Amino acid sequence: MAAPLPPLREVIREFDLRAKKSFGQNFLLDLNLTRKIARVAGDLSDSVVYEVGPGPGGLTRGLLEEGAKRVVAVEMDSRCLPALEQVSQAFDGRLTVHQGDALDVEESQLLNPQPGETLRIASNLPYNVGTMLLIKWLTLEDWKPWFASLTLMFQREVAERIVAKPGTKAYGRLSVLAQWRGNVRIAVNVPAAAFTPPPKVASAVIHFEPSEPMDETVQLKDLELVVERAFGQRRKMMRASLKSLPVNALELLNNAHIPETSRAEDVSVEDFVRLARIYREMLNA
């Protein structure tokens, strides 16, 4: 049982934790909501949860209250450290906080899991680095990765791009990358009013679980290249958008059984994976 903690609004007043745009901060104060988000991450009893940007510790409390074995957090804003120390003390040291930039962290070394522990990532990500962090975690060369799941808060528009299906305007490079690497869904919609200060847009929590590669022969760099070229000129037909590749675009599309008149938003994740494999085969021929 955790020691009593003051309400988050009192913590913010005590430590003068007004959210800063420079840190992309919007704090969640509804502890019922933070516990709900923590439950999305699954059974945490054997989990070390990595949290980026805990701020005053709203989601952190939720994760610990829902039974996380340990939480390891990285926080850039030094003003938040005393508030997080209160949380650590209340939960018998199950929270460890490191000050720094999550984009520079080597997580597998920082988390130092013990035998039998599962690593998960759960965060209300700072808006200004959320997409970059997701891409960092999805573009690990070794797959399956070191984490068992991602439970992440994004602006609603970004979350919709991550889960978007072909044939929709939201479908793009981020959709292909995320869905190539695993199974992803929107788990919780969060209104702007849930935050302090309230942002101008709604948010959503996505839950991602990595899967086995669709095709083990496909290289990340090849998939990223063909997807980047395809969506870089998404209004053009694929025969035009892939023209800058160092192979014959028409031959590539024909070999991949993709109509040359297709546009990027019409091409499925599976088709892009096949396109990347055949692109490499043509380069090596």
Side-chain angles (χ1 to χ4, degrees):
M1 193 73 178
L5 281 164
L8 284 166
R9 289 190 186 279
E10 289 184 16
V11 172
I12 288 171
R13 278 197 300 271
E14 179 184 353
F15 297 105
D16 193 22
L17 298 181
R18 286 167 292 184
K20 287 187 175 181
K21 278 189 177 180
S22 59
F23 289 123
Q25 291 171 327
N26 295 96
F27 299 144
L28 276 177
L29 303 188
D30 183 342
L31 295 179
N32 289 323
L33 178 58
T34 62
R35 291 190 72 162
K36 180 179 180 180
I37 294 168
R39 287 194 292 273
V40 170
D43 181 0
L44 303 180
S45 57
D46 67 348
S47 294
V48 179
V49 182
Y50 177 53
E51 183 183 8
V52 173
L59 179 57
T60 317
R61 293 190 193 190
L63 293 165
L64 291 165
E65 287 169 350
E66 289 300 320
K69 188 173 181 182
R70 291 190 289 129
V71 174
V72 178
V74 170
E75 176 56 64
M76 204 169 187
D77 186 355
S78 61
R79 299 175 307 150
C80 297
L81 300 183
L84 294 168
E85 178 57 29
Q86 280 188 348
V87 178
S88 182
Q89 291 176 7
F91 285 91
D92 298 323
R94 285 160 54 208
L95 168 65
T96 304
V97 182
H98 300 268
Q99 186 180 5
D101 186 341
L103 288 170
D104 298 330
V105 167
E106 180 55 61
E107 295 96 346
S108 55
Q109 294 180 10
L110 178 72
L111 299 174
N112 190 28
Q114 303 303 306
E117 291 182 335
T118 302
L119 298 179
R120 301 184 186 276
I121 305 176
S123 298
N124 169 21
L125 291 174
Y127 280 171
N128 57 352
V129 295
T131 303
M132 287 186 284
L133 284 168
L134 177 63
I135 291 171
K136 174 187 177 183
W137 295 325
L138 293 180
T139 53
L140 301 169
E141 285 294 343
D142 293 329
W143 203 263
K144 284 191 169 183
W146 53 266
F147 54 83
S149 66
L150 307 173
T151 305
L152 304 173
M153 177 95 71
F154 292 96
Q155 293 179 354
R156 172 78 191 189
E157 178 187 357
V158 176
E160 288 175 345
R161 283 166 45 206
I162 295 166
V163 304
K165 298 303 180 187
T168 63
K169 288 185 178 179
Y171 183 67
R173 294 163 64 182
L174 198 55
S175 322
V176 174
L177 179 60
Q179 294 169 47
W180 173 54
R181 286 302 207 186
N183 301 305
V184 63
R185 62 185 173 90
I186 290 180
V188 183
N189 289 309
V190 184
F195 295 89
T196 298
K200 294 179 180 178
V201 295
S203 297
V205 176
I206 64 112
H207 183 71
F208 170 94
E209 294 184 358
S211 62
E212 296 292 341
M214 290 182 182
D215 182 337
E216 291 186 357
T217 66
V218 170
Q219 298 180 42
L220 171 64
K221 64 180 181 180
D222 293 335
L223 182 68
E224 287 188 305
L225 177 62
V226 297
V227 169
E228 183 271 325
R229 296 295 167 86
F231 283 103
Q233 302 181 77
R234 65 183 298 151
R235 293 185 180 180
K236 292 188 176 183
M237 295 179 184
M238 292 283 282
R239 67 188 180 198
S241 60
L242 298 184
K243 218 170 187 178
S244 59
L245 291 174
V247 296
N248 184 286
L250 291 178
E251 185 181 350
L252 171 61
L253 290 164
N254 184 57
N255 291 345
H257 306 294
I258 297 171
E260 63 185 65
T261 55
S262 300
R263 289 178 170 80
E265 68 182 36
D266 301 318
V267 179
S268 70
V269 176
E270 292 81 6
D271 284 345
F272 271 118
V273 170
R274 188 168 65 255
L275 197 67
R277 174 175 56 78
I278 292 169
Y279 166 72
R280 175 55 52 183
E281 290 172 356
M282 290 176 66
L283 271 185
N284 293 339

